[in-house]
Short mmCIF file of all heavy atoms in Angstrom, two decimals:
data_model
loop_
_atom_site.label_atom_id
_atom_site.label_comp_id
_atom_site.label_asym_id
_atom_site.label_seq_id
_atom_site.Cartn_x
_atom_site.Cartn_y
_atom_site.Cartn_z
N TRP A 117 14.58 -18.59 -6.65
CA TRP A 117 15.36 -17.47 -6.82
C TRP A 117 15.13 -16.61 -7.95
O TRP A 117 15.99 -16.22 -8.73
CB TRP A 117 16.76 -17.79 -6.73
CG TRP A 117 17.23 -18.10 -5.26
CD1 TRP A 117 17.21 -19.28 -4.72
CD2 TRP A 117 17.73 -17.20 -4.30
NE1 TRP A 117 17.58 -19.15 -3.29
CE2 TRP A 117 17.90 -17.94 -3.11
CE3 TRP A 117 17.92 -15.77 -4.34
CZ2 TRP A 117 18.29 -17.22 -1.90
CZ3 TRP A 117 18.41 -15.20 -3.16
CH2 TRP A 117 18.59 -15.89 -1.98
N GLU A 118 13.80 -16.41 -8.22
CA GLU A 118 13.32 -15.62 -9.34
C GLU A 118 11.92 -15.04 -8.91
O GLU A 118 11.19 -15.76 -8.34
CB GLU A 118 13.27 -16.11 -10.73
CG GLU A 118 12.41 -17.38 -10.80
CD GLU A 118 12.49 -17.92 -12.18
OE1 GLU A 118 13.29 -17.55 -13.03
OE2 GLU A 118 11.62 -18.85 -12.52
N ILE A 119 11.72 -13.76 -9.27
CA ILE A 119 10.37 -13.18 -8.85
C ILE A 119 9.27 -13.95 -9.67
O ILE A 119 9.27 -14.16 -10.85
CB ILE A 119 10.30 -11.69 -9.22
CG1 ILE A 119 11.49 -10.97 -8.46
CG2 ILE A 119 9.03 -11.16 -8.90
CD1 ILE A 119 11.29 -10.88 -7.01
N SER A 120 8.27 -14.27 -8.84
CA SER A 120 7.11 -15.03 -9.47
C SER A 120 6.39 -14.34 -10.48
O SER A 120 6.29 -13.08 -10.39
CB SER A 120 6.16 -15.56 -8.48
OG SER A 120 6.82 -16.43 -7.43
N GLU A 121 5.83 -15.01 -11.49
CA GLU A 121 5.02 -14.27 -12.59
C GLU A 121 3.84 -13.54 -11.98
O GLU A 121 3.26 -14.04 -11.05
CB GLU A 121 4.59 -15.36 -13.57
CG GLU A 121 3.90 -14.81 -14.75
CD GLU A 121 3.46 -15.75 -15.81
OE1 GLU A 121 3.88 -16.95 -15.57
OE2 GLU A 121 2.83 -15.36 -16.83
N GLY A 122 3.74 -12.35 -12.50
CA GLY A 122 2.61 -11.46 -11.95
C GLY A 122 3.10 -10.62 -10.77
O GLY A 122 2.25 -9.76 -10.38
N PHE A 123 4.29 -10.62 -10.37
CA PHE A 123 4.69 -9.82 -9.26
C PHE A 123 5.94 -8.91 -9.80
O PHE A 123 6.52 -9.26 -10.72
CB PHE A 123 5.21 -10.55 -8.11
CG PHE A 123 4.05 -11.29 -7.41
CD1 PHE A 123 3.70 -12.53 -7.87
CD2 PHE A 123 3.37 -10.75 -6.29
CE1 PHE A 123 2.63 -13.30 -7.24
CE2 PHE A 123 2.39 -11.34 -5.66
CZ PHE A 123 2.01 -12.59 -6.12
N SER A 124 6.19 -7.75 -9.18
CA SER A 124 7.27 -6.85 -9.53
C SER A 124 8.33 -6.76 -8.40
O SER A 124 7.99 -6.84 -7.29
CB SER A 124 6.64 -5.40 -9.75
OG SER A 124 7.65 -4.49 -9.87
N ALA A 125 9.49 -6.76 -8.98
CA ALA A 125 10.70 -6.53 -8.13
C ALA A 125 10.98 -5.16 -7.74
O ALA A 125 11.79 -4.83 -6.95
CB ALA A 125 11.93 -7.33 -8.70
N TYR A 126 10.18 -4.15 -8.46
CA TYR A 126 10.66 -2.78 -8.40
C TYR A 126 9.49 -1.90 -7.74
O TYR A 126 9.84 -0.75 -7.53
CB TYR A 126 10.98 -2.25 -9.83
CG TYR A 126 11.86 -3.16 -10.53
CD1 TYR A 126 11.53 -3.87 -11.61
CD2 TYR A 126 13.17 -3.17 -10.22
CE1 TYR A 126 12.31 -4.76 -12.26
CE2 TYR A 126 14.17 -3.98 -10.95
CZ TYR A 126 13.69 -4.78 -11.86
OH TYR A 126 14.58 -5.63 -12.60
N LYS A 127 8.37 -2.44 -7.46
CA LYS A 127 7.35 -1.56 -7.04
C LYS A 127 6.77 -1.97 -5.67
O LYS A 127 6.99 -3.02 -5.16
CB LYS A 127 6.11 -1.70 -8.08
CG LYS A 127 6.39 -1.26 -9.37
CD LYS A 127 5.15 -1.46 -10.26
CE LYS A 127 5.50 -1.02 -11.76
NZ LYS A 127 4.23 -1.34 -12.57
N TYR A 128 6.22 -0.99 -4.92
CA TYR A 128 5.42 -1.24 -3.72
C TYR A 128 4.06 -1.68 -4.10
O TYR A 128 3.48 -0.79 -4.82
CB TYR A 128 5.41 -0.05 -2.76
CG TYR A 128 6.71 0.28 -2.18
CD1 TYR A 128 7.63 1.14 -2.85
CD2 TYR A 128 7.07 -0.28 -0.89
CE1 TYR A 128 8.91 1.43 -2.19
CE2 TYR A 128 8.32 0.01 -0.39
CZ TYR A 128 9.24 0.96 -0.98
OH TYR A 128 10.49 1.15 -0.44
N VAL A 129 3.58 -2.80 -3.70
CA VAL A 129 2.34 -3.31 -4.14
C VAL A 129 1.45 -3.83 -2.96
O VAL A 129 2.02 -4.54 -2.07
CB VAL A 129 2.45 -4.44 -5.19
CG1 VAL A 129 0.98 -5.06 -5.55
CG2 VAL A 129 3.16 -4.06 -6.31
N GLY A 130 0.22 -3.23 -2.73
CA GLY A 130 -0.59 -3.69 -1.69
C GLY A 130 -1.49 -4.71 -2.16
O GLY A 130 -2.01 -4.74 -3.22
N GLN A 131 -1.77 -5.74 -1.27
CA GLN A 131 -2.83 -6.76 -1.53
C GLN A 131 -3.72 -7.01 -0.36
O GLN A 131 -3.17 -6.82 0.76
CB GLN A 131 -2.06 -8.07 -2.03
CG GLN A 131 -1.35 -8.09 -3.20
CD GLN A 131 -0.63 -9.27 -3.38
OE1 GLN A 131 0.33 -9.71 -2.74
NE2 GLN A 131 -1.15 -10.12 -4.47
N GLN A 132 -4.86 -7.69 -0.56
CA GLN A 132 -5.61 -8.32 0.48
C GLN A 132 -5.64 -9.71 0.17
O GLN A 132 -6.13 -10.29 -0.86
CB GLN A 132 -7.03 -7.79 0.52
CG GLN A 132 -7.25 -6.35 1.04
CD GLN A 132 -7.16 -6.41 2.60
OE1 GLN A 132 -7.31 -7.55 3.27
NE2 GLN A 132 -6.98 -5.30 3.24
N ILE A 133 -5.07 -10.58 1.09
CA ILE A 133 -4.97 -12.04 0.92
C ILE A 133 -5.70 -12.70 2.16
O ILE A 133 -5.12 -12.59 3.23
CB ILE A 133 -3.53 -12.52 0.86
CG1 ILE A 133 -2.86 -11.76 -0.37
CG2 ILE A 133 -3.51 -14.04 0.64
CD1 ILE A 133 -1.39 -12.11 -0.51
N ASN A 134 -6.89 -13.20 1.92
CA ASN A 134 -7.52 -13.94 3.10
C ASN A 134 -7.63 -13.26 4.34
O ASN A 134 -7.40 -13.75 5.43
CB ASN A 134 -6.81 -15.30 3.42
CG ASN A 134 -6.84 -16.20 2.12
OD1 ASN A 134 -7.76 -16.29 1.27
ND2 ASN A 134 -5.85 -17.09 1.93
N GLY A 135 -8.05 -11.92 4.22
CA GLY A 135 -8.23 -11.12 5.37
C GLY A 135 -6.98 -10.38 5.89
O GLY A 135 -7.15 -9.63 6.88
N VAL A 136 -5.85 -10.58 5.18
CA VAL A 136 -4.62 -9.97 5.59
C VAL A 136 -4.21 -8.95 4.65
O VAL A 136 -4.21 -9.09 3.48
CB VAL A 136 -3.49 -11.02 5.74
CG1 VAL A 136 -2.17 -10.37 6.22
CG2 VAL A 136 -3.87 -12.14 6.76
N GLU A 137 -3.84 -7.74 5.20
CA GLU A 137 -3.41 -6.65 4.42
C GLU A 137 -1.90 -6.83 4.15
O GLU A 137 -1.22 -6.61 5.11
CB GLU A 137 -3.71 -5.27 5.02
CG GLU A 137 -3.48 -4.09 3.98
CD GLU A 137 -3.90 -2.70 4.73
OE1 GLU A 137 -4.93 -2.78 5.45
OE2 GLU A 137 -3.15 -1.74 4.51
N VAL A 138 -1.50 -6.96 2.90
CA VAL A 138 -0.10 -7.34 2.64
C VAL A 138 0.48 -6.00 1.84
O VAL A 138 -0.07 -5.72 0.85
CB VAL A 138 0.01 -8.66 1.84
CG1 VAL A 138 1.47 -8.85 1.50
CG2 VAL A 138 -0.52 -9.78 2.64
N LEU A 139 1.65 -5.63 2.18
CA LEU A 139 2.38 -4.72 1.43
C LEU A 139 3.79 -5.26 1.01
O LEU A 139 4.50 -5.73 1.78
CB LEU A 139 2.80 -3.47 2.16
CG LEU A 139 3.51 -2.36 1.57
CD1 LEU A 139 2.72 -1.88 0.25
CD2 LEU A 139 3.80 -1.10 2.53
N ARG A 140 3.91 -5.37 -0.41
CA ARG A 140 5.19 -6.10 -0.86
C ARG A 140 6.12 -4.90 -1.30
O ARG A 140 5.68 -3.96 -1.90
CB ARG A 140 4.84 -6.94 -1.99
CG ARG A 140 3.85 -8.09 -1.63
CD ARG A 140 3.76 -9.06 -2.87
NE ARG A 140 2.87 -10.12 -2.50
CZ ARG A 140 3.05 -11.25 -1.82
NH1 ARG A 140 4.30 -11.42 -1.43
NH2 ARG A 140 2.15 -12.21 -1.56
N CYS A 141 7.46 -5.02 -0.88
CA CYS A 141 8.32 -4.05 -1.09
C CYS A 141 9.45 -4.55 -2.17
O CYS A 141 9.60 -5.61 -2.36
CB CYS A 141 9.13 -3.73 0.20
SG CYS A 141 8.05 -3.24 1.62
N PRO A 142 9.98 -3.58 -2.91
CA PRO A 142 11.08 -3.97 -3.91
C PRO A 142 12.14 -4.77 -3.34
O PRO A 142 12.53 -4.78 -2.18
CB PRO A 142 11.60 -2.66 -4.35
CG PRO A 142 10.46 -1.62 -4.09
CD PRO A 142 9.84 -2.13 -2.86
N LEU A 143 12.66 -5.65 -4.21
CA LEU A 143 13.54 -6.69 -3.87
C LEU A 143 14.53 -6.97 -4.90
O LEU A 143 14.12 -7.29 -6.13
CB LEU A 143 12.96 -8.04 -3.31
CG LEU A 143 13.75 -9.17 -2.77
CD1 LEU A 143 14.41 -8.69 -1.47
CD2 LEU A 143 12.97 -10.24 -2.74
N TYR A 144 15.86 -7.09 -4.62
CA TYR A 144 16.85 -7.48 -5.52
C TYR A 144 17.08 -9.13 -5.36
O TYR A 144 17.27 -9.56 -4.25
CB TYR A 144 18.22 -6.91 -5.23
CG TYR A 144 19.34 -7.68 -5.85
CD1 TYR A 144 19.50 -7.78 -7.25
CD2 TYR A 144 20.32 -8.13 -5.11
CE1 TYR A 144 20.60 -8.43 -7.82
CE2 TYR A 144 21.48 -9.04 -5.55
CZ TYR A 144 21.51 -8.92 -6.91
OH TYR A 144 22.66 -9.61 -7.47
N VAL A 145 16.81 -9.82 -6.48
CA VAL A 145 16.81 -11.30 -6.39
C VAL A 145 18.00 -11.74 -7.43
O VAL A 145 17.77 -11.70 -8.66
CB VAL A 145 15.57 -11.94 -6.71
CG1 VAL A 145 15.73 -13.55 -6.64
CG2 VAL A 145 14.53 -11.54 -5.68
N PRO A 146 19.16 -12.24 -6.90
CA PRO A 146 20.23 -12.66 -7.76
C PRO A 146 19.87 -13.96 -8.43
O PRO A 146 19.35 -14.94 -7.83
CB PRO A 146 21.40 -12.82 -6.89
CG PRO A 146 20.90 -13.12 -5.50
CD PRO A 146 19.60 -12.34 -5.35
N ALA A 147 20.26 -14.01 -9.68
CA ALA A 147 19.81 -15.34 -10.44
C ALA A 147 20.72 -16.42 -9.97
O ALA A 147 20.39 -17.63 -9.80
CB ALA A 147 20.07 -15.14 -12.00
N LYS A 148 22.02 -16.19 -9.57
CA LYS A 148 22.95 -17.21 -9.05
C LYS A 148 23.47 -16.61 -7.75
O LYS A 148 24.52 -15.86 -7.68
CB LYS A 148 24.04 -17.42 -10.08
CG LYS A 148 23.56 -17.96 -11.35
CD LYS A 148 24.71 -18.36 -12.31
CE LYS A 148 24.35 -18.96 -13.54
NZ LYS A 148 25.41 -19.25 -14.51
N PRO A 149 22.76 -16.96 -6.65
CA PRO A 149 23.24 -16.36 -5.35
C PRO A 149 24.67 -16.73 -4.94
O PRO A 149 25.09 -17.93 -5.05
CB PRO A 149 22.29 -17.01 -4.38
CG PRO A 149 21.07 -17.44 -5.15
CD PRO A 149 21.68 -17.87 -6.52
N SER A 150 25.41 -15.84 -4.48
CA SER A 150 26.73 -15.94 -3.87
C SER A 150 26.64 -15.29 -2.54
O SER A 150 25.68 -14.73 -2.14
CB SER A 150 27.77 -15.34 -4.76
OG SER A 150 27.59 -13.88 -4.76
N THR A 151 27.69 -15.38 -1.71
CA THR A 151 27.64 -14.74 -0.39
C THR A 151 27.39 -13.28 -0.56
O THR A 151 26.59 -12.75 0.13
CB THR A 151 29.03 -14.98 0.31
OG1 THR A 151 29.15 -16.42 0.52
CG2 THR A 151 28.99 -14.37 1.64
N PHE A 152 28.23 -12.58 -1.34
CA PHE A 152 27.94 -11.09 -1.59
C PHE A 152 26.62 -10.84 -2.11
O PHE A 152 25.92 -9.88 -1.54
CB PHE A 152 28.96 -10.67 -2.37
CG PHE A 152 28.82 -9.13 -2.75
CD1 PHE A 152 29.24 -8.11 -1.83
CD2 PHE A 152 28.15 -8.75 -4.01
CE1 PHE A 152 29.10 -6.84 -2.13
CE2 PHE A 152 28.10 -7.29 -4.26
CZ PHE A 152 28.54 -6.39 -3.33
N LYS A 153 26.14 -11.60 -3.00
CA LYS A 153 24.82 -11.31 -3.60
C LYS A 153 23.64 -11.60 -2.71
O LYS A 153 22.67 -10.99 -2.70
CB LYS A 153 24.70 -12.18 -4.96
CG LYS A 153 25.48 -11.63 -6.09
CD LYS A 153 25.30 -12.55 -7.25
CE LYS A 153 26.14 -12.15 -8.42
NZ LYS A 153 25.89 -12.88 -9.62
N ARG A 154 23.88 -12.63 -1.83
CA ARG A 154 22.90 -12.80 -0.70
C ARG A 154 22.74 -11.75 0.16
O ARG A 154 21.71 -11.36 0.63
CB ARG A 154 23.14 -14.15 -0.07
CG ARG A 154 22.89 -15.45 -0.78
CD ARG A 154 23.50 -16.59 -0.01
NE ARG A 154 23.33 -17.93 -0.79
CZ ARG A 154 22.28 -18.74 -0.83
NH1 ARG A 154 21.22 -18.43 -0.04
NH2 ARG A 154 22.25 -19.80 -1.50
N ILE A 155 23.92 -11.16 0.59
CA ILE A 155 23.89 -10.00 1.54
C ILE A 155 23.22 -8.88 0.81
O ILE A 155 22.46 -8.13 1.51
CB ILE A 155 25.29 -9.63 1.92
CG1 ILE A 155 25.94 -10.66 2.84
CG2 ILE A 155 25.47 -8.39 2.56
CD1 ILE A 155 27.45 -10.54 3.04
N ALA A 156 23.55 -8.65 -0.45
CA ALA A 156 22.90 -7.45 -1.15
C ALA A 156 21.41 -7.73 -1.26
O ALA A 156 20.58 -6.78 -1.15
CB ALA A 156 23.51 -7.34 -2.65
N HIS A 157 20.98 -8.96 -1.49
CA HIS A 157 19.56 -9.43 -1.52
C HIS A 157 18.87 -8.94 -0.27
O HIS A 157 17.80 -8.33 -0.24
CB HIS A 157 19.55 -10.91 -1.91
CG HIS A 157 18.19 -11.59 -1.46
ND1 HIS A 157 17.03 -11.41 -2.18
CD2 HIS A 157 18.01 -12.47 -0.46
CE1 HIS A 157 16.10 -12.17 -1.67
NE2 HIS A 157 16.69 -12.81 -0.68
N LEU A 158 19.46 -9.36 0.90
CA LEU A 158 18.77 -9.14 2.19
C LEU A 158 18.80 -7.64 2.56
O LEU A 158 17.85 -7.09 3.03
CB LEU A 158 19.47 -9.92 3.29
CG LEU A 158 19.45 -11.50 3.27
CD1 LEU A 158 20.24 -12.10 4.22
CD2 LEU A 158 18.00 -11.95 3.29
N ALA A 159 19.88 -6.93 2.14
CA ALA A 159 20.07 -5.53 2.38
C ALA A 159 19.01 -4.87 1.61
O ALA A 159 18.55 -3.82 2.03
CB ALA A 159 21.40 -5.05 2.11
N SER A 160 18.75 -5.21 0.33
CA SER A 160 17.75 -4.59 -0.49
C SER A 160 16.47 -4.56 0.05
O SER A 160 15.68 -3.47 0.15
CB SER A 160 17.74 -5.19 -1.89
OG SER A 160 17.13 -6.34 -1.94
N PHE A 161 15.91 -5.63 0.77
CA PHE A 161 14.74 -5.67 1.45
C PHE A 161 14.72 -4.83 2.73
O PHE A 161 13.76 -4.11 2.99
CB PHE A 161 14.32 -7.08 1.79
CG PHE A 161 13.07 -7.26 2.59
CD1 PHE A 161 11.89 -6.94 1.90
CD2 PHE A 161 13.06 -7.67 3.83
CE1 PHE A 161 10.71 -7.02 2.56
CE2 PHE A 161 11.89 -7.75 4.53
CZ PHE A 161 10.58 -7.42 3.88
N ALA A 162 15.79 -4.88 3.51
CA ALA A 162 15.89 -3.94 4.60
C ALA A 162 15.65 -2.60 4.27
O ALA A 162 15.04 -1.76 4.94
CB ALA A 162 17.21 -4.21 5.39
N CYS A 163 16.36 -2.15 3.17
CA CYS A 163 16.27 -0.80 2.76
C CYS A 163 14.88 -0.39 2.24
O CYS A 163 14.29 0.52 2.75
CB CYS A 163 17.25 -0.45 1.62
SG CYS A 163 18.95 -0.41 2.18
N SER A 164 14.26 -1.18 1.36
CA SER A 164 13.01 -0.84 0.75
C SER A 164 11.85 -1.01 1.77
O SER A 164 10.91 -0.19 1.83
CB SER A 164 12.70 -1.87 -0.46
OG SER A 164 12.50 -3.10 0.06
#
């Protein structure tokens, strides 16, 4: 429940990984997930 080192929570980033074209989208990740924060977390990905 934290963005891995070397990745951004705020940017659209494209990658090539083992022949797969990957587009990463911004994401809200709560440090201490609660029901409301989990919903916000999932909704942030749906929007971005």
